[in-house]
Amino acid sequence: MKGNMLLAWVLAGAGGALLATAAQAQDIAEQRAQGRGAEAQGAGGIGADDPGIEDQELDVTRVIGVRLYDMLASEQTEGYSVDAATVGTKVPAALRDIPQSVSVVTHDAIEDQGFVTLDQLAARTPGVRVLSNDYGRSSIFARGYEYDAYSIDGLPAPMSSILGSVPSLTAFDRVEIMRGPSGLFNSTSELGGIVNLVRKRPTETFQAEVFGSLGTLDDGALGVDVAGPIDEAGRVRGRFVARSTENAQWVDDNDNRQDDLYAAVDIDLTDATELSLGIIHNAKDITVNNGQPTDADGDLLYTRRSAFYGADWNDFDSESTDVLAELTHRFANDGYGRVAARYSDRDADYNYAFGAGAVDDQGRLNAAGFGGKTDETSLSLDASYTQAFDAFGNDNEFVVGLDHKDYDQDNRQGRARGLGSSLSVGQLNDLAYVNVLDSAQAGLSGFSLTDTRSELEETGAYAKVTVRPIAPLALIAGGRFSHFSTEYDDRTSDSESSRSDSEFTPYAGAVLDLDAQHSLYASYSRVFKPQTAFNEDNDLIDPREGDQYEVGIKGSYLGGRLNARASAYQLEDSHRAAASSDPGASYSVDTGEVRIRGAELEVTGSLTDQWDLIFGYTYTDTEIEKASSARDDGIFLLMPENMVNLWSQYRFQQGMLNGLSLGGGITAMSDFSSSSGVEAPGYAVVDAMLGYEFTPQLSGQLNVYNLFDREYYLRAGGEGSFNFVGQPASALATLRYAF
């Protein structure tokens, strides 16, 4: 690992030197959009006098065939709409030019709805399903599959609920979510898609903000965000963000604190070359809540929402640090080069007790325990070159690149099924302290231990070309050649397994512009996922393969302020590992096959300069063609067939109500169940927001969650745990002062 890291950094430095010493690029004037509504400028900062623009109408803000190398931050463009995204691409691309389903949640949408962590945001995002846990420890799904990684500015690192590596949003301007496999740039990943977090960047002018919040569920936050030039010429710019958050607590003793720090600096090495450096640190301190048990009949309890089925010594502590470096260069021929690196270091230490079975008729249950330590490091490197070219009388484009990633995880976990029997809730809360991992490592009776190390290393070369044989039609083709190796060391059983192989991942798409507002699209995408399960011969089972076919129509209205999409897809998953059905067998077999079909409708943006909207409807139909195991396939039972998300906000700008903002929304889904047979009914929850600008510097906001105090379950689990009650009616007040 260390040798690979050193080599990777040397390669990154060499690539940076090549870019920095390349021929000086011609000066490219920077355009700054004022306010919202200028889609071409808001997305790309490109003015009408830029070179390379062949056709632009004053009343149509979308510019075809012009690369959006610069994309203004959503905190500058304001509102809920952006016309471009970087997820699944190497430089920003217009949403209508990406032939897959992409949602972008902007800075304003994040603040208006009061999101702190990615799982909070995902739970209110169209097409995304969250299996709730403590904030920062939930599982995020799309199209039936969990996002097992998230990218920062296009650089991936693993994400898992058990490790608590679901990120805070403190350091980020916007969140881009692509649904469905995208193996061209993220090959060894899950089938759900890609989440890309775009960092807040230093600004050319000074800006600063302090904020604080206080809620009715013992929640609150304090923070500061400062950005601006460091030197007089403004060639060196910096940003610093700090936030301490106490998340809402509606279950007794379920404290959840997060502390975030973010620092960044951007340096103009030349007029054409920029170096960007950043560091993000997050610390979590959580009194773990593992959800409620069921009653003796396997039904949800619907008793006290605040009941805590755990010990008062339950604890989860984690720290994560991400270091990022990026070097970009504009070439004189309008080419664009980028070399970037991300190093992540995460540690988690957890120990907690929870219900081991259903509550009996006397309200008593048994207790189980879980504890562990996990150390994880990851390195992601990427070097790409993007170039526009003329062909068929139209603007076209290609991108080529190399990337490398190395994920290394050391994991020790202890389990106990018999920490206590026939306990009341109060007795479970007062359970005598047990260090579950230490007890398992000592070999005590009733405790089991797993001690594993896994490593995934992959190097890939990719290329994608977009060709317009006629002006309205874009044909997209790409491919990726990846060489990967996996190692899995089970130190508990003293067994090792490894696999090394190469894979080719194709990609194809087409976008047809029907008119200035509408585009039809179709795409085929693929991804593969190495597995750690091994077969009867003690060889790792072949990687899972996922293929997706998607068609849809995208629209852009009101000068690009409002974006809409209707899509349908089919996703196929094969080579899924399953436990062998042979009695006493400890190996797995290659058997599972799943087919998922669905449809999505999404409308996001601004109906007027004052009125913002997010709406989404999702339909999912899952067919298990060959079952792997009841537990594995049961995850699909937790995916409701129908989901609806709605949020809208209106800002008054005249008269007596000038400065007032009103917002509200609904999150709804149909019923769902778990592989254990626990059934949860569908629900609809209403949230609301009231905001007011007291002065140009001082603003206040009141968010009300579950306005009508609906009692519902977010997640269904087993008889003993993972049945999570939704947040009761509550309010959070926030004040912000901008300098």
Side-chain angles (χ1 to χ4, degrees), residues 559-592:
R561 290 196 307 254
L562 188 69
N563 297 305
R565 171 182 56 85
S567 59
Y569 66 89
Q570 177 172 296
L571 197 159
E572 298 175 348
D573 178 12
S574 57
H575 298 303
R576 301 175 71 232
S580 172
S581 59
D582 293 342
S586 59
Y587 57 86
S588 299
V589 294
D590 180 344
T591 180

Side-chain angles (χ1 to χ4, degrees), residues 510-531:
V511 180
L512 176 64
D513 295 328
L514 301 177
D515 53 37
Q517 285 77 41
H518 301 92
S519 299
L520 290 174
Y521 75 89
S523 65
Y524 165 76
S525 54
R526 190 177 189 184
V527 74
F528 68 94
K529 176 74 172 177
Q531 304 185 94

Side-chain angles (χ1 to χ4, degrees), residues 363-683:
R364 295 181 171 274
L365 76 166
N366 299 332
F370 183 58
K373 294 180 182 291
T374 303
D375 298 320
E376 180 181 86
T377 59
S378 63
L379 175 68
S380 178
L381 295 166
D382 182 80
S384 65
Y385 177 78
T386 304
Q387 175 71 63
F389 64 95
D390 293 327
F392 310 105
N394 299 303
D395 289 331
N396 309 275
E397 182 186 78
F398 71 84
V399 58
V400 294
L402 298 170
D403 62 18
H404 175 84
K405 64 183 180 184
D406 194 337
Y407 298 165
D408 196 342
Q409 186 181 95
D410 198 300
N411 197 24
R412 290 175 292 153
Q413 295 177 341
R415 291 174 172 81
R417 294 293 297 174
L419 287 187
S421 60
S422 192
L423 303 173
S424 67
V425 176
Q427 289 172 327
L428 176 56
N429 297 160
D430 296 333
L431 188 69
Y433 177 79
V434 178
N435 189 311
V436 179
L437 177 59
D438 285 354
S439 299
Q441 291 182 136
L444 298 185
S445 177
F447 294 83
S448 61
L449 175 69
T450 58
D451 187 355
T452 62
R453 178 185 175 275
S454 61
E455 182 176 10
L456 167 66
E457 187 172 356
E458 180 197 355
T459 300
Y462 55 83
K464 185 182 76 169
V465 61
T466 302
V467 176
R468 292 186 178 273
I470 57 176
L473 176 64
L475 300 177
I476 305 165
R480 173 189 180 86
F481 183 79
S482 304
H483 179 78
F484 72 91
S485 62
T486 61
E487 295 181 6
Y488 185 75
D489 182 7
D490 187 340
R491 292 174 291 213
T492 310
S493 60
D494 195 24
S495 63
E496 297 182 4
S497 53
S498 63
R499 183 183 183 89
S500 179
D501 207 345
S502 298
E503 290 273 351
F504 178 74
T505 308
Y507 178 82
V511 180
L512 176 64
D513 295 328
L514 301 177
D515 53 37
Q517 285 77 41
H518 301 92
S519 299
L520 290 174
Y521 75 89
S523 65
Y524 165 76
S525 54
R526 190 177 189 184
V527 74
F528 68 94
K529 176 74 172 177
Q531 304 185 94
T532 57
F534 54 89
N535 61 21
E536 187 176 7
D537 297 324
N538 204 35
D539 295 325
L540 286 175
I541 289 178
D542 289 343
R544 284 169 50 209
E545 294 179 355
D547 299 271
Q548 178 181 268
Y549 304 87
E550 181 173 333
V551 296
I553 183 170
K554 294 185 180 183
S556 180
Y557 311 99
L558 304 176
R561 290 196 307 254
L562 188 69
N563 297 305
R565 171 182 56 85
S567 59
Y569 66 89
Q570 177 172 296
L571 197 159
E572 298 175 348
D573 178 12
S574 57
H575 298 303
R576 301 175 71 232
S580 172
S581 59
D582 293 342
S586 59
Y587 57 86
S588 299
V589 294
D590 180 344
T591 180
E593 292 184 10
V594 175
R595 175 177 294 167
I596 297 178
R597 296 187 180 99
E600 297 174 352
L601 174 64
E602 183 175 8
V603 181
T604 305
S606 303
L607 298 170
T608 70
D609 286 344
Q610 301 160 255
W611 188 5
D612 296 317
L613 172 71
I614 298 173
F615 169 78
Y617 167 73
T618 306
Y619 170 78
T620 305
D621 178 36
T622 304
E623 179 182 347
I624 310 296
E625 295 187 339
K626 290 185 180 180
S628 57
S629 69
R631 183 173 180 83
D632 289 341
D633 295 336
I635 198 71
F636 297 104
L637 300 173
L638 290 161
M639 303 299 122
E641 195 170 76
N642 300 281
M643 295 193 299
V644 174
N645 298 87
L646 171 66
W647 176 266
S648 185
Q649 179 187 245
Y650 188 84
R651 291 174 299 280
F652 295 90
Q653 295 180 343
Q654 295 179 346
M656 295 180 60
L657 299 179
N658 181 36
L660 180 69
S661 298
L662 296 176
I666 299 173
T667 302
M669 63 182 64
S670 55
D671 56 1
F672 52 92
S673 59
S674 73
S675 60
S676 299
V678 180
E679 298 180 352
Y683 62 85

Side-chain angles (χ1 to χ4, degrees), residues 293-294 354-359 365-367 417 719-721:
T294 66
F354 54 94
V359 174
L365 76 166
N366 299 332
R417 294 293 297 174
E719 290 184 342
S721 60

Side-chain angles (χ1 to χ4, degrees), residues 124 135 217 219 248 250 305 685 705-706 709-710 712 714 725-731:
R124 301 293 195 273
Y135 288 141
L217 293 178
D219 47 338
W250 63 91
R305 283 182 286 194
V685 176
Y705 303 101
N706 195 1
D709 200 23
R710 173 71 182 269
Y712 65 103
L714 291 160
V725 181
Q727 181 171 341
S730 60

